[in-house]
Short mmCIF file of all heavy atoms in Angstrom, two decimals:
data_model
loop_
_atom_site.label_atom_id
_atom_site.label_comp_id
_atom_site.label_asym_id
_atom_site.label_seq_id
_atom_site.Cartn_x
_atom_site.Cartn_y
_atom_site.Cartn_z
N VAL A 205 11.14 12.91 -4.35
CA VAL A 205 11.03 14.12 -3.50
C VAL A 205 9.86 14.00 -2.62
O VAL A 205 8.82 13.44 -2.83
CB VAL A 205 10.87 15.33 -4.42
CG1 VAL A 205 10.59 16.62 -3.61
CG2 VAL A 205 12.11 15.43 -5.38
N LEU A 206 10.04 14.52 -1.32
CA LEU A 206 9.01 14.72 -0.36
C LEU A 206 8.79 16.19 -0.26
O LEU A 206 9.67 16.93 0.06
CB LEU A 206 9.55 14.17 1.10
CG LEU A 206 8.53 14.24 2.20
CD1 LEU A 206 7.51 13.20 1.94
CD2 LEU A 206 9.15 14.14 3.54
N VAL A 207 7.53 16.49 -0.36
CA VAL A 207 7.08 18.01 -0.39
C VAL A 207 6.50 18.20 1.05
O VAL A 207 5.51 17.52 1.36
CB VAL A 207 6.07 18.25 -1.45
CG1 VAL A 207 5.67 19.75 -1.33
CG2 VAL A 207 6.58 17.97 -2.94
N VAL A 208 7.05 19.10 1.82
CA VAL A 208 6.58 19.48 3.12
C VAL A 208 5.80 20.74 3.00
O VAL A 208 6.48 21.80 2.61
CB VAL A 208 7.72 19.49 4.14
CG1 VAL A 208 7.16 19.85 5.51
CG2 VAL A 208 8.48 18.14 4.30
N ARG A 209 4.47 20.66 3.23
CA ARG A 209 3.75 21.86 3.16
C ARG A 209 4.02 22.97 4.17
O ARG A 209 4.27 22.59 5.37
CB ARG A 209 2.27 21.66 3.16
CG ARG A 209 1.76 20.70 1.93
CD ARG A 209 0.44 20.12 2.06
NE ARG A 209 -0.46 20.76 2.91
CZ ARG A 209 -1.79 20.59 2.85
NH1 ARG A 209 -2.24 19.57 2.13
NH2 ARG A 209 -2.60 21.27 3.59
N PRO A 210 3.89 24.29 3.91
CA PRO A 210 3.98 25.24 4.92
C PRO A 210 2.88 25.17 5.85
O PRO A 210 1.76 24.71 5.44
CB PRO A 210 4.05 26.52 4.14
CG PRO A 210 3.51 26.31 2.82
CD PRO A 210 3.63 24.76 2.61
N PRO A 211 3.13 25.52 7.15
CA PRO A 211 1.97 25.44 8.11
C PRO A 211 0.84 26.37 7.70
O PRO A 211 0.96 27.33 7.03
CB PRO A 211 2.56 26.06 9.40
CG PRO A 211 4.03 26.33 9.13
CD PRO A 211 4.28 26.12 7.68
N ALA A 212 -0.34 25.87 7.84
CA ALA A 212 -1.58 26.62 7.54
C ALA A 212 -1.61 27.99 8.36
O ALA A 212 -1.28 28.05 9.55
CB ALA A 212 -2.80 25.94 7.85
N GLY A 213 -1.92 29.05 7.70
CA GLY A 213 -2.02 30.41 8.31
C GLY A 213 -3.37 30.51 9.03
O GLY A 213 -4.26 29.57 9.01
N PRO A 214 -3.46 31.65 9.76
CA PRO A 214 -4.84 31.79 10.53
C PRO A 214 -6.07 31.80 9.60
O PRO A 214 -5.93 32.39 8.45
CB PRO A 214 -4.63 33.06 11.34
CG PRO A 214 -3.42 33.76 10.55
CD PRO A 214 -2.59 32.76 9.95
N ALA A 215 -7.12 31.36 10.07
CA ALA A 215 -8.38 31.33 9.20
C ALA A 215 -8.78 32.76 9.04
O ALA A 215 -8.68 33.57 9.90
CB ALA A 215 -9.44 30.53 9.82
N ARG A 216 -9.37 33.04 7.81
CA ARG A 216 -9.86 34.42 7.59
C ARG A 216 -11.38 34.51 7.58
O ARG A 216 -12.01 33.56 7.23
CB ARG A 216 -9.32 35.04 6.28
CG ARG A 216 -7.75 35.25 6.36
CD ARG A 216 -7.38 35.91 5.18
NE ARG A 216 -5.96 36.32 5.43
CZ ARG A 216 -5.37 37.11 4.58
NH1 ARG A 216 -5.90 37.56 3.40
NH2 ARG A 216 -4.20 37.60 4.81
#
Side-chain angles (χ1 to χ4, degrees):
V205 172
L206 182 74
V207 177
V208 179
R209 295 171 27 168
R216 292 186 165 186

